[in-house]
Amino acid sequence: MSTPQSKGGKARAEKLTSEERSDIASQAAKARWAEAANLPKATHMGTLKIGDAEIPCAVLSDGTRLLTQAGFLGALGRSTKPKGRSQQVTDGLPPFLATKSLKPLITQEIIDSTVPIAFITTTGGKALGFKAELLPKVCDLFLEARNLGLLTLQQATIAESSEMLVRALAKVGIVALVDEATGFQTERDRDELHRLLSVYLVEERLAWAKRFPDEFYKQIYRLKGWKWPVGKAKTPLLGHITNDIVYDRLPEGVLPKLQELNPTQEESKRRKFKHHQFLSHDVGQPDLRDHILQILPVMKISKDWKAFKRNIDVAFPKVGSQIEMEIDND
């Protein structure tokens, strides 16, 4: 239905020249880009399922976890597209909290948390969201208000939704749920890996010390069917073998980082130092020693290299590897 205002706007638009229309569109676009440049951006997005509720969610570049405003309202049983006066904020609170009945229970923490955060989605659009931690707080608020008999008939339905949400959230923390829904746990796990490597490795190499006993190399030669050398010279294949049965079976990510810290020299095609010189004295080197002591018995009970590889893959499998199982035909 047309209004006098819309008719007037249409008439003014028809009087504009093509250059004026282009200029107005350009100015509007610049304004939108300027606003977008100042807004935080989502690095991950997904849909969080809690009970029957499906809530779009996001993780911002600074790690803030958000539930979109529409998803938040829908989870509470409210309209996901508030219009007109229902969008207005009263006393710093969104409309579903700005009522006299709830006022005695509203804390400053809730007031601060209910300010919507505008952000740019991963597809470049603009959206509004609330911090994920706000949802359980609002649910607790409505449940407490129901117990005190403070709710109106309309608010009672929000309390029912809140009860279902709280039961679902009791199993897993809201932050972990958002991380899973958006795929952010991959980044989180990478941070955990960085923390592990920071205590497992050292950037500056330590002084050389013998870490691999002669028995370790003698067993490799026996299993391979090679003749043990009388002198010090050993096959250069030992480096690849040691990576396979030792370093690649330490915590995931250790070997790639060692290869980064101790790269192959371009001229000699060899590494300048030993990998173990970059393992930390307190964590990395004791773990290396324990691993070697554990694989020596596996070597000794194996009749050849093939049997040993089968045994070590069972005892110390690489991350993501499939174990070859022997099947007894009898």
Side-chain angles (χ1 to χ4, degrees):
M1 179 178 176
S2 298
T3 64
Q5 291 83 356
S6 64
K7 290 179 180 178
K10 184 177 180 180
R12 285 192 297 273
E14 289 175 347
K15 293 179 181 179
L16 294 173
T17 65
S18 60
E19 290 81 6
E20 289 172 329
R21 292 195 191 96
S22 177
D23 185 58
I24 291 173
S26 176
Q27 292 300 324
K30 288 179 181 179
R32 288 193 299 271
W33 279 107
E35 180 186 24
N38 293 321
L39 292 179
K41 293 177 174 58
T43 57
H44 300 73
M45 293 195 70
T47 300
L48 174 60
K49 295 182 179 180
I50 308 177
D52 295 330
E54 294 189 0
I55 313 172
C57 51
V59 177
L60 303 184
S61 56
D62 63 356
T64 300
R65 282 81 163 178
L66 296 180
L67 306 179
T68 65
Q69 179 176 261
F72 192 100
L73 294 174
L76 294 174
R78 302 278 298 191
S79 172
T80 59
K81 295 181 179 180
K83 298 179 180 180
R85 294 182 59 84
S86 62
Q87 278 189 324
Q88 295 179 2
V89 172
T90 305
D91 295 330
L93 291 168
F96 60 90
L97 291 179
T99 60
K100 291 182 179 179
S101 60
L102 295 175
K103 192 172 183 179
L105 304 178
I106 301 294
T107 64
Q108 187 60 46
E109 182 182 14
I110 290 178
I111 293 174
D112 295 340
S113 300
T114 51
V115 178
I117 298 174
F119 67 99
I120 302 300
T121 67
T122 52
T123 57
K126 180 182 173 183
L128 290 175
F130 293 114
K131 287 186 178 180
E133 295 87 346
L134 176 64
L135 183 59
K137 293 176 183 177
V138 170
C139 290
D140 289 341
L141 176 70
F142 275 98
L143 293 178
E144 183 181 358
R146 183 177 66 179
N147 291 338
L148 296 174
L150 301 177
L151 299 182
T152 63
L153 184 61
Q154 183 182 17
Q155 291 167 341
T157 61
I158 299 180
E160 292 175 6
S161 298
S162 297
E163 185 174 8
M164 290 187 289
L165 288 170
V166 166
R167 287 178 179 177
L169 288 171
K171 296 180 181 178
V172 187
I174 184 67
V175 168
L177 282 172
V178 173
D179 288 358
E180 180 180 357
T182 61
F184 185 64
Q185 80 274 7
T186 303
E187 303 293 332
R188 186 187 61 210
D189 292 344
R190 187 176 296 122
D191 289 340
E192 292 299 324
L193 173 60
H194 288 168
R195 280 191 282 272
L196 167 66
L197 295 182
S198 70
V199 298
Y200 206 95
L201 304 174
V202 289
E203 296 288 335
E204 297 295 330
R205 66 180 177 85
L206 301 177
W208 183 88
K210 191 177 181 67
R211 301 294 175 188
F212 290 81
D214 288 341
E215 184 65 21
F216 171 79
Y217 296 112
K218 288 180 179 179
Q219 287 297 329
I220 291 177
Y221 272 74
R222 178 185 70 81
L223 294 168
K224 285 286 190 178
W226 298 337
K227 184 179 179 181
W228 178 251
V230 177
K232 294 183 178 180
K234 299 184 181 72
T235 172
L237 292 175
L238 284 177
H240 298 289
I241 293 172
T242 305
N243 282 345
D244 178 25
I245 67 177
V246 177
Y247 290 114
D248 210 13
R249 296 169 198 267
L250 297 180
E252 184 180 10
V254 168
L255 179 56
K257 187 63 178 179
L258 285 172
Q259 292 170 333
E260 177 187 329
L261 293 171
N262 188 29
T264 302
Q265 301 296 302
E266 206 170 304
E267 304 79 17
S268 63
K269 305 301 180 185
R270 300 173 69 90
R271 301 185 192 278
K272 188 175 181 180
F273 307 106
K274 300 295 185 182
H275 276 341
H276 61 72
Q277 291 179 260
F278 293 89
L279 295 176
S280 65
H281 179 76
D282 295 332
V283 179
Q285 292 190 1
D287 198 29
L288 172 68
R289 179 199 61 214
D290 292 345
H291 180 72
I292 295 171
L293 291 177
Q294 290 177 84
I295 67 173
L296 278 173
V298 180
M299 289 174 145
K300 291 177 180 179
I301 65 170
S302 303
K303 64 178 181 179
D304 55 28
W305 187 255
K306 183 178 180 180
F308 167 66
K309 282 301 299 292
R310 186 166 56 245
N311 291 334
I312 195 174
D313 285 343
V314 173
F316 304 99
K318 296 179 183 180
V319 177
S321 63
Q322 292 184 339
I323 299 174
E324 179 183 343
M325 302 297 290
E326 288 189 345
I327 301 175
D328 190 340
N329 292 327
D330 295 334

